[in-house]
């Protein structure tokens, strides 16, 4: 009798099932988006812009260019502190000059100061106005007298004859009363201001 060998039984272990992962109870933080600010654009400085800035800095006033016939004269006057222009940086050379503006200039030119105590001289000059001290000083120095009706008309435009008359009297200039040179057209040698025009011509202050 032949006995057939029996195959040995093989025991295969069952795979172990891992335990489940514990539940996450803490909230997951939301990622924060980092925003990098973009740099502000910087205006490019061109050679032309630099030239404009330099040329503007050299001007005595913003409305007086280097090719202006007033340039050198106004630059010198500003450097000496005789003129200051308007708050916006302009001078307005073609603008009419008032009588008080002329007086303020003349007082600076002859290096005369004003007083804090103001004596009211003319009825149409308000003692609280900015120009009252200039008019009072000019009256005390004797180079303004006002009009026959007793008024001064401070904001009226000053003409060339009035300005030269006040300037030369304030500066105590030696004026020749005899007119001996040719005067500009429209000015007669018998005019009260003719000697002042003559002096201005001799000094190169006006053109014939």
């Amino acid at each position: 009798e032949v006995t057939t060998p029996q195959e040995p039984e093989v025991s295969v272990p069952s795979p172990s099932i891992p335990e489940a992962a514990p539940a996450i109870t803490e909230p997951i933080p939301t990622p924060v988006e980092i925003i990098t600010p973009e740099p502000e654009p910087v205006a490019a400085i061109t050679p032309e812009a630099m030239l404009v800035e330099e040329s503007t800095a050299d001007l005595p006033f913003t409305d007086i260019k280097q090719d202006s016939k007033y340039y050198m004269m106004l630059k010198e006057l500003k450097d000496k502190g005789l003129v200051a222009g308007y708050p916006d940086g302009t001078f307005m050379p073609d603008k009419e000059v008032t009588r008080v503006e002329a007086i303020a200039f003349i007082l600076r030119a002859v290096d005369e100061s004003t007083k804090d105590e103001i004596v009211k001289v003319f009825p149409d000059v308000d003692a609280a106005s900015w120009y009252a001290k200039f008019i009072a000083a000019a009256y005390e120095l004797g180079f303004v007298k006002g009009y026959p009706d007793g008024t001064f008309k401070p904001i009226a435009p000053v003409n060339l004859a009035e300005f030269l008359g006040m300037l030369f009297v304030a500066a105590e200039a030696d004026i020749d009363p005899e007119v001996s040179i040719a005067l500009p057209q429209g000015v007669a040698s018998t005019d009260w201001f003719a000697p002042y025009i003559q002096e201005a011509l001799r000094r190169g202050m006006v053109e014939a």
Side-chain angles (χ1 to χ4, degrees):
E1 178 181 1
V2 178
T3 303
T4 304
Q6 299 290 325
E7 294 181 359
E9 294 182 1
V10 179
S11 175
V12 179
S14 300
S16 60
I17 300 175
E19 296 181 358
I24 299 175
T25 58
E26 296 182 0
I28 300 175
T30 304
V32 178
E33 182 181 2
I34 299 176
I35 302 175
T36 304
E38 296 182 359
E40 295 182 359
V42 178
I45 300 177
T46 62
E48 292 79 6
M50 295 177 64
L51 289 173
V52 170
E53 291 179 0
E54 291 175 359
S55 61
T56 302
D58 292 338
L59 298 178
F61 302 100
T62 56
D63 57 342
I64 303 297
K65 306 304 179 186
Q66 289 187 347
D67 58 353
S68 170
K69 63 180 180 180
Y70 307 116
Y71 175 79
M72 291 303 300
M73 175 178 59
L74 290 177
K75 189 175 188 305
E76 183 176 355
L77 290 174
K78 186 178 182 183
D79 291 343
K80 291 182 177 181
L82 297 179
V83 295
Y86 292 91
D88 62 355
T90 62
F91 184 78
M92 302 183 189
D94 298 323
K95 183 179 179 293
E96 286 186 335
V97 177
T98 65
R99 289 164 60 81
V100 293
E101 289 173 333
I103 288 174
F105 171 81
I106 291 170
L107 288 172
R108 295 190 190 102
V110 298
D111 197 22
E112 289 287 348
S113 59
T114 58
K115 297 180 179 179
D116 294 333
E117 184 179 352
I118 300 172
V119 178
K120 188 174 177 64
V121 181
F122 302 101
D124 60 338
V125 176
D126 185 358
S129 62
W130 68 267
Y131 50 76
K133 61 181 181 180
F134 294 104
I135 296 176
Y139 182 81
E140 185 176 340
L141 291 171
F143 68 88
V144 298
K145 296 180 179 180
Y147 290 92
D149 63 357
T151 62
F152 184 75
K153 299 179 175 57
I155 60 174
V158 64
N159 58 44
L160 180 61
E162 291 174 329
F163 176 77
L164 291 175
M166 291 189 296
L167 177 62
F168 289 136
V169 172
E172 299 180 349
D174 186 13
I175 304 297
D176 186 358
E178 298 294 330
V179 178
S180 57
I181 65 174
L183 299 175
Q185 186 176 1
V187 179
S189 60
T190 54
D191 290 332
W192 68 265
F193 51 84
Y196 300 121
I197 299 294
Q198 175 178 252
E199 186 66 21
L201 287 168
R202 286 175 174 172
R203 291 172 180 258
M205 298 171 61
V206 296
E207 297 178 355

